[in-house]
Amino acid sequence: MKRNSIVTTDWEHCFICGTTQNLQEHHVFFGTANRKQSEKHGMKVPLCMNCHTGPNGVHHNKELDIRIKQLAQIEFEKNFSFEEFMKLFGKNYR
Ligand SMILES: [Zn+2]
Ligand SMILES: [Zn+2]
């Protein structure tokens, strides 16, 4: 698992529920163009299979998706800037 994330330094636990089982890498901004930017800027978090692609996981749960994006945006702005965030991802989640 790649660990160049600006959102978290803890890759031993699921970002949402804290479990250590079945962890996968989630690109906070997914979709063809966004995934590349997520990779480039370290907008990634570890999620367990359940919180990732499960029925209530981030890929099926809009609320959870927004929550993670919001946290990622805050971290992004600490490392880069709000202007850069808007340029890259085009939407304010805060
Ligand atoms: Zn989890
Ligand atoms: Zn994902």
Side-chain angles (χ1 to χ4, degrees):
M1 198 178 277
K2 290 206 190 93
R3 283 156 203 214
N4 57 330
S5 169
I6 61 167
V7 188
T8 182
T9 53
D10 182 1
W11 284 87
E12 307 300 318
H13 299 91
C14 172
F15 191 66
I16 299 300
C17 74
T19 186
T20 56
Q21 304 299 310
N22 300 315
L23 296 178
Q24 305 174 335
E25 183 181 73
H26 171 62
H27 290 75
V28 175
F29 297 87
F30 42 89
T32 320
N34 286 342
R35 191 187 159 92
K36 247 179 241 166
Q37 293 302 335
S38 287
E39 184 69 44
K40 192 172 162 193
H41 293 88
M43 307 284 269
K44 298 186 290 186
V45 293
L47 295 177
C48 72
M49 226 189 315
N50 210 25
C51 296
H52 192 208
T53 52
N56 294 312
V58 64
H59 283 284
H60 303 284
N61 181 339
K62 194 81 194 152
E63 225 168 274
L64 186 58
D65 179 35
I66 299 293
R67 187 142 57 92
I68 295 178
K69 284 178 168 149
Q70 196 174 51
L71 291 170
Q73 180 180 351
I74 291 166
E75 291 309 314
F76 182 94
E77 289 177 16
K78 285 185 199 163
N79 288 272
F80 305 100
S81 69
F82 175 76
E83 288 69 29
E84 203 158 353
F85 183 87
M86 292 305 286
K87 203 173 85 190
L88 288 175
F89 300 106
K91 190 175 163 186
N92 186 6
Y93 293 92
R94 290 198 287 129

